[in-house]
Amino acid sequence: MTTGSGPRPAGSTLGATLRDLLASGGRSYSFEFFPPKTDEGERTLFETIRQLEPLAPTFVSVTYGAGGSTRDRTVRIVERIATETTLTAVGHLTCVSSSRAELRSVIGSFAGAGIRNVLALRGDPAGGPGTPWESHPEGLEHADELVRLLRELGDFCVGVAAFPEGHPESPDLDADAKYLALKAAAGADFAVTQFFFDADDYFRLVDRAAAHGCTIPILPGIMPVTNLSQIQRFAELSGAAFPASLAERLQAVADDAAEVRRIGVEFATELCSKLLDGGAPGLHFYTLNRSTSTLQIYQALGLGPARTDSAS
């Protein structure tokens, strides 16, 4: 696995290295966490982070809660990762319920902690997916505006979201690709996709984006199935199509948690192999704050801290 250089000191963020790694064709392997609501949950999260740290991921990211509800805890966790571990931390930042002044304050907090990697998102409406989007009266309307704000305020490596099956609010897939191109034109360095289950959906997205002049690396997002009802709910909220064949396999063993996990890991491993074989610039794992499935997929793919990937 490429990490950009040799061993890193604690608190290293290497924003330029992430940008250069992706631009040079190196592969990125990354993990995403969400901020727990309690101090006990935060302790459990850091146990997971410590379990995944030996894999030397290119970066790890921390999301906002729904409607930006966990902003302060997100900032704190990202700061802890940056200062207490050897990992490169990427903070999420959304436009939801925030004025420009508040966004500038969060960006300043990231910069003060030495964090130079930010994933810039419009975010889901404060009322949750499916409710009308309303911007803050003194805030931003779209993610490309947030990308520009980050660019104005510092030398940040900026990521944005991409949607293999289209954003739920996009009129069609082509319009969705055009908007991704706008975010790239605003200064985004890379994109991370919503999770999906069909490799062809990802490659079609890359082709659509390229047709609109968008050539930034697009990292495919992977969510291993560990709980059937939970993943199906996430898929419904995101608009991702859950494969009927996979659902049937999982339903047949629904009472056996270990078998559900095994099938989920097997499916995700096959998907990852197709993506890497097809030229994807890496993998981004939605961990749901657990390490077991991600570790198992890594082992099955032959990835590890001693591995290096070049542009070839």
Side-chain angles (χ1 to χ4, degrees), residues 212-269:
H212 290 288
C214 177
T215 58
I216 61 173
I218 300 175
L219 302 175
I222 308 298
M223 183 178 284
V225 176
T226 58
N227 179 300
L228 178 58
S229 60
Q230 183 182 53
I231 297 297
Q232 286 180 316
R233 180 170 60 85
F234 287 164
E236 290 171 1
L237 290 173
S238 69
F242 196 92
S245 59
L246 177 59
E248 290 174 4
R249 292 178 64 192
L250 294 170
Q251 291 285 4
V253 297
D255 295 331
D256 187 338
E259 188 64 6
V260 168
R261 181 184 299 279
R262 186 195 66 78
I263 292 173
V265 167
E266 179 183 88
F267 183 90
T269 301

Side-chain angles (χ1 to χ4, degrees), residues 165-185:
E165 297 170 79
H167 189 281
E169 297 175 23
S170 292
D172 54 55
L173 294 177
D174 190 61
D176 192 74
K178 287 181 181 178
Y179 188 58
L180 177 57
L182 285 176
K183 290 187 283 189

